[in-house]
Amino acid sequence: MEKMKAEDTIFQRMQFMNQRVSGLQAEDLYFYNQPITELHGGARVLVNGREMTMFASYSYLGLVGHPRINEAAKAAIDRYGTGTHGVRSLAGSLVLHTELEETIADFKKAEAAITYSSGYVTNLTVVSSLLGRGDYVISDKLNHASLVDGCLMSGAKFLRFRHNDMSALEERLQQIPSSATRLVIADSVFSMDGDIIDFPRLVEICRKYNAWLMIDEAHSVGVLGKSGRGIEEHFGMEDAIDIKMGTLSKTIPSVGGYVAGRKDLISFLRHASRAYIFSAALPPAQAAAAKAAFEVILDEPWRVEKLRRNAELFINGLKERGFDTLATETAIVPVVCGSDETAFAMTREVQHKDVFVLPVISPAVPPGLARLRATVTAAHEESEITQAMDIIEEAGIKIGLIGG
Ligand SMILES: Cc1ncc(COP(=O)(O)O)c(C=O)c1O
């Protein structure tokens, strides 16, 4: 590698990152990509040969490994094989894809839906297909990276507003020329903090300023609303979102992303979004698993209720033990540690007691707000949650994060 000179910035970036990784590995503080080797049922997993209770899962309703969903995936493989014949518009469209999109549209109470190969790609392609130069996109400061990347890729003027602050959003909208097209984007539940967007005010402001509204429901499907349909159901509002985006990789135990909305929006995306036109369709097993999962959510409503109870127990219990859990009200529960080192040390202590949690550090969260990013699911039993909280408390006392 001729080019690897000390003054080369690519080389320096690589060296900086790789030295940080080896330093953490040497101190037993490296928790990246730990392999899960088996699912043991409920919230139990085998990680690196140790049975642990999973507190880092996005499978909020505990649907990974659900027999009906597994069966649907196996039957799809038997019928169609493991791949498609290419992109949807050429030869890759299966009846399964249409059925999945109809199921999503029904679930989200929308006229139609379109699917893509990941949630990340969905946000990139949808925002950049809808907007271009001269348009405006206004985004909450804590929106997911895929939304930020979609905004940057679109070429539209990119404005951000203070996290979950509707007066700041309104100020931004007032700065935009009245003739300009404007799209407001927010997560429904924020992926690092677990708090819920002030949806009623957000909708009111978008209507007042004639702005399109796109909501990323990655962390609210299956979590919010009595039947788990998401943020509109939670606030008892219908038809409030123009572009209802979600993933098939969290509550839905598959992979992929979708947008649901009006027929004319979905038809436009089907003919204009590059990730639909130039990238292969979801594999049959994943499409079938996703479809079955939406059906299971509606057929087993106890899961949504159990998740709600578990989240309440976990958040209140951690607060009572002296931890700062920010403004979460959902299944994502940050346990604020402060420095990256404290977050790493907490993770090590807790994992050594067989509770699987992971740290999140800057730049994913602001410096000084490093945390354990714990998640609770419907697969947890109350006793497992209490035991995990006791272990986190013991670690917090040992490290000096909370008083003894
Ligand atoms: C809010 C949000 N949007 C989008 C994505 C991307 O989804 P996927 O993992 O399906 O690509 C994520 C993933 O973590 C997310 O948290």
Side-chain angles (χ1 to χ4, degrees):
M1 294 270 263
E2 253 326 281
K3 275 197 178 152
M4 281 209 179
K5 306 246 163 57
E7 65 275 16
D8 181 318
T9 49
I10 296 179
F11 179 65
Q12 285 166 9
R13 277 183 202 122
M14 285 162 41
Q15 205 180 31
F16 174 78
M17 182 62 80
N18 294 335
Q19 278 171 356
R20 191 156 186 232
V21 167
S22 356
L24 290 169
Q25 281 168 334
E27 291 175 52
D28 187 21
L29 293 175
Y30 186 72
F31 307 102
Y32 214 58
N33 286 354
Q34 286 164 283
I36 292 174
T37 46
E38 282 173 29
L39 297 179
H40 279 184
R44 312 288 290 170
V45 288
L46 200 66
V47 184
N48 278 325
R50 289 172 67 155
E51 194 181 69
M52 299 177 108
T53 316
M54 170 58 104
F55 276 86
S57 175
Y58 289 135
S59 181
Y60 297 122
L61 294 182
L63 297 182
V64 170
H66 190 291
R68 186 167 148 196
I69 299 172
N70 283 3
E71 279 313 311
K74 288 177 199 164
I77 291 179
D78 289 343
R79 185 157 175 206
Y80 296 104
T82 53
T84 59
H85 299 275
V87 299
R88 293 275 295 274
S89 53
L90 296 177
S93 213
L94 306 176
V95 67
L96 257 180
H97 294 122
T98 316
E99 287 169 4
L100 169 61
E101 286 164 348
E102 285 169 1
T103 303
I104 294 171
D106 276 357
F107 187 88
K108 292 306 300 170
K109 298 197 185 260
E111 286 176 5
I114 181 170
T115 51
Y116 298 94
S117 58
S118 81
Y120 183 87
V121 154
T122 303
N123 281 336
L124 280 192
T125 204
V126 169
V127 180
S128 62
S129 303
L130 292 173
L131 298 179
R133 278 209 191 97
D135 300 331
Y136 285 76
V137 59
I138 310 101
S139 164
D140 186 288
K141 270 207 167 154
L142 293 193
N143 276 351
H144 189 260
S146 52
L147 289 171
V148 174
D149 293 353
C151 294
L152 294 172
M153 199 170 140
S154 72
K157 283 231 163 54
F158 180 29
L159 307 178
R160 300 198 302 162
F161 62 95
R162 226 176 3 259
H163 173 52
N164 215 353
D165 181 337
M166 294 305 127
S167 317
L169 168 63
E170 192 158 14
E171 267 170 42
R172 287 288 189 223
L173 284 163
Q174 283 163 352
Q175 292 162 3
I176 297 174
S178 56
S179 59
T181 294
R182 72 280 313 271
L183 170 67
V184 172
I185 306 187
D187 287 6
S188 47
V189 168
F190 288 86
S191 57
M192 294 296 145
D193 290 26
D195 56 336
I196 303 172
I197 192 80
D198 180 355
F199 189 63
R201 253 319 260 135
L202 177 68
V203 171
E204 189 188 314
I205 291 173
C206 287
R207 286 181 179 157
K208 179 171 166 191
Y209 290 89
N210 202 20
W212 287 70
L213 176 60
M214 174 168 175
I215 295 285
D216 178 333
E217 293 223 59
H219 301 282
S220 54
V221 162
V223 177
L224 295 185
K226 194 165 168 33
S227 58
R229 288 179 197 263
I231 193 153
E232 286 176 308
E233 187 182 36
H234 178 77
F235 284 103
M237 296 166 73
E238 271 188 27
D239 253 346
I241 305 171
D242 299 304
I243 303 156
K244 306 177 187 206
M245 182 272 166
T247 73
L248 303 175
S249 63
K250 299 187 190 334
T251 292
I252 306 300
S254 182
V255 72
Y258 67 83
V259 161
R262 285 164 41 160
K263 269 192 190 143
D264 53 0
L265 168 75
I266 302 306
S267 171
F268 169 75
L269 292 172
R270 230 181 261 294
H271 296 96
S273 56
R274 292 164 79 84
Y276 190 86
I277 301 168
F278 295 110
S279 184
L282 282 179
Q286 299 316 124
K291 176 174 178 287
F294 281 105
E295 291 160 0
V296 168
I297 295 175
L298 297 180
D299 289 349
E300 298 180 11
W302 61 265
R303 290 179 181 271
V304 180
E305 184 46 37
K306 187 172 174 200
L307 173 62
R308 198 163 295 138
R309 279 200 314 274
N310 281 354
E312 229 174 80
L313 175 70
F314 195 46
I315 296 167
N316 292 340
L318 286 167
K319 279 187 184 155
E320 279 158 19
R321 287 166 170 80
F323 290 103
D324 178 4
T325 56
L326 301 176
T328 184
E329 295 176 62
T330 64
I332 299 169
V333 184
V335 180
V336 174
C337 297
S339 69
D340 294 358
E341 287 65 32
T342 309
F344 288 139
M346 281 291 288
T347 307
R348 181 181 57 199
E349 293 301 319
V350 173
Q351 283 206 12
H352 280 185
K353 295 273 169 65
D354 297 330
V355 171
F356 191 72
V357 284
L358 288 169
V360 179
I361 57 167
S362 118
V365 293
L369 280 179
R371 62 196 67 175
L372 299 184
R373 181 181 174 281
T375 52
V376 68
T377 74
H380 290 116
E381 297 310 325
E382 269 188 40
S383 57
E384 291 173 321
I385 297 171
T386 307
Q387 191 189 28
M389 291 192 295
D390 290 344
I391 288 171
I392 295 170
E393 181 180 20
E394 238 176 81
I397 294 168
K398 181 168 171 192
I399 281 161
L401 183 59
I402 53 170

